[in-house]
Amino acid sequence: MKKILSNNLLLKLLSVLFAVMLWLVVVNIDDPTVSRTITGISVVIQNEEVITGQEQVYEVVSGDSATIVVKGPRSYVDKMTSDDFIAEASFREMSNVYAVPITVRHRYSKYEKSVDITQKTTTMTLKIEKIITRNYEIQIKENEEMSSGYTLGSKSVRPTTVEVSAPESVINLINKAVVEVNLSKYNESTTVSLPIKFYTKSGSIVNLGTYTELSTDTAEVSLGVYSVKEVPLKFTTVGKPADGYELTDVESDIRTVKIAGDNLAGIDTINIPGEVIDVDGKNNDVKLSIDIAGYLPDGVILYDGDELIVNVVAKIEQLLTKRFNIRTKDIEIRNLSGDYTVSYPDGDSVAVQIKGLSKSFENFDVDTLAAYIDLANLGEGENIVGLNISLPDNLSAAVSPTVKVQLTSNQTTAGTTPADGDGENTSTREPDTVKPTE
């Protein structure tokens, strides 16, 4: 038996070898070796303080995920996903051109000897920027118009500035910091918290990104909302024009102004005091330019917010003196004693001088004047008495008028009848009393 086994040793070895080969063939037929591409393996960043610790930030330009080719038994490879691998990039290995090598390995050790990895993605590339800190003044941007009857009297923002720490590329984009207020929403003074927005020079919103830090992202805006009212201007003067002249009017190129304030209920006019328009001793028009803002009550502003200059003219005109004749027959006689008869030695009319502005004489009719004399306590003979005349308010007597009268005793003239056509105007009747116009 021993001889038989020894003589067939070579045959036996060949049999074993054949068996092994047959086993391998069977295995390869049932579980063959295959290759497969796996994508989307997230790359884990390590040691990022190499960049961030130097007041810098980075942006991954490429290589934030890895692609590999795996080769191994189908029973393993077909089941594999991106979660079965770990991809890492250490910033300590970054090159001068900001390239970081990526390494990919099996997450589970059971695959290490059976599945080979070939990396398609080998490098992560970075963009690195400095962190810049800058302060920006916070501006208030007014959107929409105030509701009718209201205006914005004052506005303020707190804080007045915002500190921005951001990558240099972001800082370079920022032109201004703004809080936007929709004015149409408010009809009373208020304080509101609003977000701060950042704009480029062209007016686009700046995307601040994830690396930007703000000292505050909101600001409080205080609005003084005023009601609006239109009121007339009222002018007064001081002094008296020169003799023979009169102040006739105060004219201005603006008669009313719109004002704004918290409480306008008691304000019906804007008064320009007399000391501003001094006409004392003047014989010509007085012309002034007046800044209305200086005469507004406390807490009141001009509606348009601008300086308002009003051009004012105090009209001064010369008085005219004209001579008129009043018929003696139209003069009322008062308090004439029954013992006397009145006559007018100087004729049948009395001259009076009346002064006033030219336009005041336009509709004046001397024959419509009421005139009278008072003869109380007068005796016989010639007497000079005051002539009382009632003039319109815009006219006055230049010289106090008088009239000469002759009082004749009725006893003296008893039995004597004046000849027809005698030029004297006599009267023995006490007329009805007519009161003069003051």
Side-chain angles (χ1 to χ4, degrees), residues 182-226:
N182 185 350
L183 296 180
S184 64
K185 296 172 58 177
Y186 307 104
N187 56 15
E188 62 181 2
S189 297
T190 187
T191 298
V192 60
S193 180
L194 297 170
I196 302 172
K197 299 180 180 180
F198 298 88
Y199 285 90
T200 65
K201 286 184 178 180
S202 63
S204 302
I205 289 284
V206 176
N207 181 9
L208 298 179
T210 57
Y211 294 107
T212 299
E213 294 183 358
L214 306 176
S215 58
T216 177
D217 58 0
T218 61
E220 288 190 346
V221 178
S222 296
L223 303 174
V225 179
Y226 294 164

Side-chain angles (χ1 to χ4, degrees), residues 274-384:
E275 59 266 21
V276 178
I277 309 175
D278 187 354
V279 300
D280 194 48
K282 300 296 190 295
N283 57 10
N284 289 301
D285 293 347
V286 176
K287 299 179 180 180
L288 297 170
S289 293
I290 300 174
D291 181 2
I292 296 301
Y295 303 97
L296 298 176
D298 290 340
V300 174
I301 62 172
L302 292 171
Y303 171 66
D304 57 12
D306 296 330
E307 182 181 38
L308 182 60
I309 302 298
V310 178
N311 297 311
V312 178
V313 179
K315 306 290 289 185
I316 296 176
E317 294 185 30
Q318 187 174 13
L319 297 174
L320 301 179
T321 299
K322 293 189 176 183
R323 180 186 177 96
F324 296 92
N325 291 320
I326 298 176
R327 295 174 298 190
T328 55
K329 70 177 182 178
D330 294 332
I331 298 174
E332 176 191 350
I333 300 174
R334 297 183 182 179
N335 300 315
L336 175 63
S337 170
D339 296 334
Y340 297 104
T341 299
V342 177
S343 63
Y344 297 92
D346 291 339
D348 58 1
S349 65
V350 177
V352 295
Q353 296 183 60
I354 300 174
K355 66 179 180 179
L357 299 173
S358 176
K359 64 181 180 180
S360 301
F361 290 104
E362 291 176 357
N363 298 315
F364 177 69
D365 184 358
V366 70
D367 293 335
T368 63
L369 289 183
Y372 75 92
I373 55 176
D374 189 342
L375 303 182
N377 303 318
L378 294 182
E380 186 176 6
E382 286 188 354
N383 295 274
I384 303 298

Side-chain angles (χ1 to χ4, degrees), residues 49-266:
E49 68 276 4
V50 171
I51 295 174
T52 58
Q54 299 182 36
E55 296 297 321
Q56 294 177 319
V57 293
Y58 65 88
E59 177 185 347
V60 177
V61 177
S62 65
D64 57 345
S65 65
T67 298
I68 61 173
V69 175
V70 293
K71 182 178 180 181
R74 176 180 289 172
S75 58
Y76 287 166
V77 172
D78 284 352
K79 296 177 182 179
M80 287 182 171
T81 67
S82 60
D83 292 335
D84 292 313
F85 302 91
I86 297 174
E88 297 173 327
S90 174
F91 284 1
R92 292 188 184 278
E93 301 177 22
M94 181 177 63
S95 70
N96 292 334
V97 294
Y98 309 132
V100 182
I102 297 173
T103 59
V104 181
R105 57 184 173 85
H106 294 286
R107 186 180 296 275
Y108 308 107
S109 59
K110 66 179 181 178
Y111 296 131
E112 290 181 359
K113 296 181 179 179
S114 302
V115 179
D116 295 327
I117 299 172
T118 301
Q119 289 185 214
K120 293 293 186 182
T121 306
T122 59
T123 304
M124 173 184 286
T125 57
L126 305 177
K127 176 184 177 182
I128 298 177
E129 293 186 83
K130 294 180 181 179
I131 291 292
I132 304 295
T133 299
R134 187 171 295 172
N135 285 310
Y136 295 88
E137 182 180 353
I138 301 175
Q139 303 176 25
I140 300 175
K141 180 182 179 183
E142 300 170 11
N143 291 336
E144 304 295 334
E145 296 288 337
M146 296 291 298
S147 300
S148 177
Y150 297 92
T151 188
L152 183 62
S154 63
K155 60 182 178 181
S156 62
V157 62
R158 190 176 62 179
T160 57
T161 60
V162 56
E163 184 180 87
V164 182
S165 295
E168 188 173 9
S169 60
V170 174
I171 292 294
N172 291 339
L173 286 175
I174 297 175
N175 176 248
K176 59 184 176 181
V178 173
V179 285
E180 299 179 353
V181 184
N182 185 350
L183 296 180
S184 64
K185 296 172 58 177
Y186 307 104
N187 56 15
E188 62 181 2
S189 297
T190 187
T191 298
V192 60
S193 180
L194 297 170
I196 302 172
K197 299 180 180 180
F198 298 88
Y199 285 90
T200 65
K201 286 184 178 180
S202 63
S204 302
I205 289 284
V206 176
N207 181 9
L208 298 179
T210 57
Y211 294 107
T212 299
E213 294 183 358
L214 306 176
S215 58
T216 177
D217 58 0
T218 61
E220 288 190 346
V221 178
S222 296
L223 303 174
V225 179
Y226 294 164
S227 56
V228 177
K229 185 177 183 180
E230 187 170 5
V231 295
L233 297 174
K234 183 178 180 181
F235 302 95
T236 55
T237 62
V238 65
K240 183 180 179 181
D243 289 343
Y245 292 85
E246 184 174 304
L247 174 67
T248 60
D249 194 11
V250 178
E251 300 176 351
S252 65
D253 58 349
I254 298 174
R255 303 303 299 180
T256 64
V257 293
K258 285 186 177 181
I259 58 175
D262 284 329
N263 183 8
L264 304 179

